[in-house]
Amino acid sequence: QVQLVESGGGLVQAGGSLRLSCAASGRTFSTYAMGWFRQAPGKEREFVAAIRWSGRSTYYADSVKGRFTISRDNAKNTVYLQMNSLKPEDTAVYYCATDTSGLGSHLSSLYNYWGQGTQVTVSS
């Protein structure tokens, strides 16, 4: 059983930064890969970033690579998404999710548990 709670979203101007947090509870958090996805109004949910349990392997969507950084602190059962140089097109609800396969896939169908999401709004 895994429960995920996202936080850190808000309204920020273009070029600004936000750090999202995802606090997890569950016995096997440290064995899971973790991912961030986002969904903008009228669009499909899309992959943003993923990280394996060790934290040594990370993956990013081309749209955010170089601007976003995913990290995790297994001692705190928390995964983070540092978002820099934000653009209006980054506006979306951001979700964290667990991949029990441990691979850190970009496919949302392979993630087992999802948080409720946190809203990120970037104004121009």
Side-chain angles (χ1 to χ4, degrees):
Q1 179 178 324
V2 177
Q3 294 176 305
L4 305 173
V5 180
E6 301 96 335
S7 63
L11 194 156
V12 65
Q13 291 185 323
S17 299
L18 285 173
R19 189 184 73 164
L20 305 184
S21 298
C22 176
S25 61
R27 292 165 45 224
T28 58
F29 171 80
S30 295
T31 69
Y32 295 166
M34 300 293 297
W36 285 97
F37 292 77
R38 66 187 183 186
Q39 188 166 24
K43 296 184 178 180
E44 299 295 320
R45 185 170 297 182
E46 66 175 344
F47 171 78
V48 176
I51 186 169
R52 292 187 176 182
W53 73 267
S54 68
R56 292 190 289 271
S57 297
T58 58
Y59 311 91
Y60 297 93
D62 289 342
S63 60
V64 306
K65 194 170 186 178
R67 300 188 297 121
F68 292 8
T69 303
I70 188 171
S71 62
R72 68 190 298 165
D73 185 340
N74 289 342
K76 297 181 178 179
N77 287 345
T78 302
V79 63
Y80 305 95
L81 185 68
Q82 178 66 47
M83 306 186 295
N84 298 325
S85 301
L86 283 162
K87 305 174 181 179
E89 50 263 45
D90 295 318
T91 295
V93 177
Y94 283 70
Y95 301 88
C96 66
T98 64
D99 170 14
T100 55
S101 77
L103 297 178
S105 176
H106 68 283
L107 300 175
S108 61
S109 62
L110 297 183
Y111 286 76
N112 307 93
Y113 300 98
W114 295 80
Q116 294 299 303
T118 185
Q119 177 71 48
V120 172
T121 302
V122 184
S123 65
S124 59

